Amino acid sequence: MDTILWPLKVAVAWVMVRIHDVLVLIGMGKGPGAAWVLSIVGLTILMRLLIMPLFVRQIRASRGMQLMQPELKAIQDKYKGKKDQASRQRMQEEMMALYRKHGTNPFSSCFPILLQMPVFFALFRVLANLQSVAEGTYAVHTGHDSIGPLTAALAEEVQKSTVFGASLSSSFMNATDSATKIVTVVMIVMMSATQWYTMAQLSTKNMPESAKTSDNPMMRSQKIMMTVMPIFFAFTGIQFQIGVLVYWVTTNLWTMGQQFFTIRNMPAPGSEAEKKYRARINAKRARRGQPSLEEEEAAKRAAEAAERGQVGGQRVQPVRKSRQRRGPSAPTAPADAQIAVGGADAEESVQSGKENVAGLTPEEISRRRYEKRARQRQQRRNKNQGGKKRRR
């Protein structure tokens, strides 16, 4: 494994040494101490910044998975009980088409963790080999005197650096003192708890109520993962060095912060987080004298309906010239009343059919244009009737 991970081990060691150099440059103590602990924290932050685009894709994919659950359940109910190969193939094809429609897939939420795992194992092996590098025996097995820039002297400094009295290279299994075991257990508990909370945020705060039913396969798998993952880390954590636990606790805390910000400001539609988001925004708008989000969305829908020629919930049908003379006409009183309210500018707007200069809404503009055409039809009808009487 060391041979396969060698390039990554060199990269991890290089980042740690360079971050340590920067921390020493800004005034932290040289040699064993907190600078080496913070270099692991810095390595974690750098890694999370590099995979930030994947995290954004993970959030979008998770939101898409939540929104598509009703459609996904409908497909599953459609083929429920059908075990033949053709039906199962059609179900898979419809499900894949649904994934493409929502721009997601069931494995996208795993990408950030999967991408971190090589770095995680590389850091694990770097910390595990600190003693052999410091003692000069590392070259016997690998042919290298150091791990990149991590020389024997620096390896000894890292090995002697501690977190509350526990060495960065020590673990629960190889600890000889109770202080190291206590620190390890506390960090394992922190790692498991933060892992559980990061997963609980998505399923409890950022999932629509319609997707929280017990027959939702995504909800079932989410609950299983919330139980299994913390237990897995609790049992495997006793093998991790303190430095690896520092890395994992830091990445979990980072994930918690990212998710909190994302859920607070970009919640999934229909979720509890969206209700709280709208309440906050509406409160701010009320203080500024602005309409609420719901009122603004309703006005936008009405404006879009007006642009499509829909007035009063019905589409205004076009009238051919051959039928304009025979068709029924609309009363002119509402138009006169609207002109009286709008004033001379509104009259000019209605007469010209151009953009309103009196500050009227798109719905009012559309209605006045309709009434203008109605008056024109009425005038032509009256004119035609007058001509018929004269001919008689």
Side-chain angles (χ1 to χ4, degrees):
M1 178 177 286
D2 283 340
T3 303
I4 298 174
L5 292 175
W6 174 253
L8 274 177
K9 287 170 62 178
V10 173
V12 167
W14 187 89
V15 172
M16 287 178 58
V17 172
R18 295 298 169 256
I19 294 176
H20 177 267
D21 292 342
V22 172
L23 294 174
V24 171
L25 186 64
I26 62 177
M28 295 196 71
K30 193 174 182 179
W36 284 110
V37 179
L38 292 179
S39 68
I40 297 178
V41 176
L43 170 67
T44 310
I45 294 174
L46 178 62
M47 183 65 193
R48 294 311 304 250
L49 290 175
L50 290 176
I51 65 172
M52 184 76 75
L54 279 180
F55 175 80
V56 175
R57 288 183 59 186
Q58 177 192 15
I59 292 295
R60 291 177 178 173
S62 177
R63 180 179 300 179
M65 288 289 292
Q66 294 165 2
L67 296 178
M68 67 179 278
Q69 288 308 306
E71 298 175 76
L72 184 62
K73 187 176 183 302
I75 294 175
Q76 293 170 341
D77 292 341
K78 176 182 176 181
Y79 293 97
K80 187 177 182 179
K82 298 181 180 180
K83 303 295 183 180
D84 58 288
Q85 183 64 28
S87 297
R88 296 185 68 85
Q89 183 176 353
R90 287 195 298 270
M91 184 179 71
Q92 291 297 326
E93 290 174 355
E94 292 184 22
M95 290 174 63
M96 293 306 297
L98 186 61
Y99 287 132
R100 289 193 296 269
K101 172 186 172 182
H102 289 271
T104 184
N105 66 78
F107 305 106
S108 55
S109 60
C110 302
F111 290 156
I113 294 179
L114 293 177
L115 193 61
Q116 285 187 88
M117 293 311 291
V119 178
F120 175 79
F121 285 120
L123 177 62
F124 180 87
R125 295 307 302 166
V126 167
L127 295 175
N129 292 318
L130 284 177
Q131 184 173 356
S132 59
V133 174
E135 294 175 352
T137 60
Y138 187 66
V140 176
H141 306 288
T142 63
H144 301 281
D145 295 329
S146 63
I147 305 176
L150 190 64
T151 61
L154 294 179
E156 187 175 0
E157 291 181 5
V158 179
Q159 193 176 14
K160 291 181 180 179
S161 299
T162 60
V163 177
F164 299 109
S167 172
L168 287 176
S169 60
S170 61
S171 65
F172 184 89
M173 298 301 293
N174 64 16
T176 58
D177 59 309
S178 58
T180 300
K181 291 185 177 181
I182 292 173
V183 172
T184 305
V185 170
V186 170
M187 296 194 71
I188 290 174
V189 171
M190 290 179 61
M191 180 179 66
S192 301
T194 51
Q195 183 71 32
W196 177 86
Y197 187 75
T198 53
M199 302 179 73
Q201 279 190 120
L202 293 176
S203 60
T204 59
K205 296 183 179 181
N206 204 39
M207 186 175 287
E209 293 298 328
S210 58
K212 293 182 179 181
T213 57
S214 58
D215 57 348
N216 181 0
M218 181 182 176
M219 191 64 185
R220 289 199 302 267
S221 62
Q222 191 77 6
K223 288 182 177 179
I224 293 173
M225 293 291 289
M226 285 173 57
T227 305
V228 171
M229 290 299 291
I231 295 176
F232 171 78
F233 282 114
F235 280 97
T236 58
I238 59 176
Q239 302 288 342
F240 298 160
Q241 300 98 336
I242 294 294
V244 174
L245 294 176
V246 169
Y247 175 91
W248 207 254
V249 171
T250 304
T251 196
N252 284 353
L253 291 174
W254 180 279
T255 303
M256 285 172 54
Q258 274 187 333
Q259 286 186 351
F260 176 81
F261 177 82
T262 304
I263 293 173
R264 178 180 173 83
N265 297 283
M266 294 178 287
S271 63
E272 184 66 26
E274 189 196 29
K275 296 178 183 178
K276 295 180 179 179
Y277 170 79
R278 285 180 170 272
R280 290 194 306 271
I281 297 300
N282 288 338
K284 292 180 181 179
R285 284 172 168 264
R287 289 194 295 268
R288 298 171 183 171
Q290 298 175 338
S292 65
L293 288 174
E294 291 76 14
E295 293 172 341
E296 189 175 86
E297 290 167 358
K300 185 178 180 181
R301 288 193 298 268
E304 291 175 351
E307 290 178 0
R308 293 193 301 267
Q310 295 177 348
V311 180
Q314 296 182 350
R315 184 176 183 272
V316 179
Q317 298 292 338
V319 181
R320 291 181 300 174
K321 292 183 178 180
S322 60
R323 297 184 59 188
Q324 286 178 350
R325 299 172 182 176
R326 299 193 301 271
S329 60
T332 59
D336 296 338
Q338 291 294 331
I339 292 172
V341 174
D345 291 336
E347 169 70 21
E348 181 182 354
S349 172
V350 173
Q351 294 297 334
S352 64
K354 297 181 180 179
E355 183 180 0
N356 186 17
V357 295
L360 301 179
T361 64
E363 295 90 335
E364 293 172 329
I365 295 173
S366 178
R367 183 170 59 183
R368 291 186 179 190
R369 288 177 180 172
Y370 172 80
E371 292 168 347
K372 172 177 172 288
R373 297 189 189 101
R375 288 199 307 274
Q376 291 173 348
R377 289 196 299 269
Q378 179 68 26
Q379 291 172 359
R380 284 194 294 268
R381 183 181 178 185
N382 294 339
K383 183 177 179 181
N384 291 336
Q385 290 176 350
K388 289 179 181 179
K389 289 181 180 179
R390 285 194 299 269
R391 284 196 297 272
R392 290 176 183 174

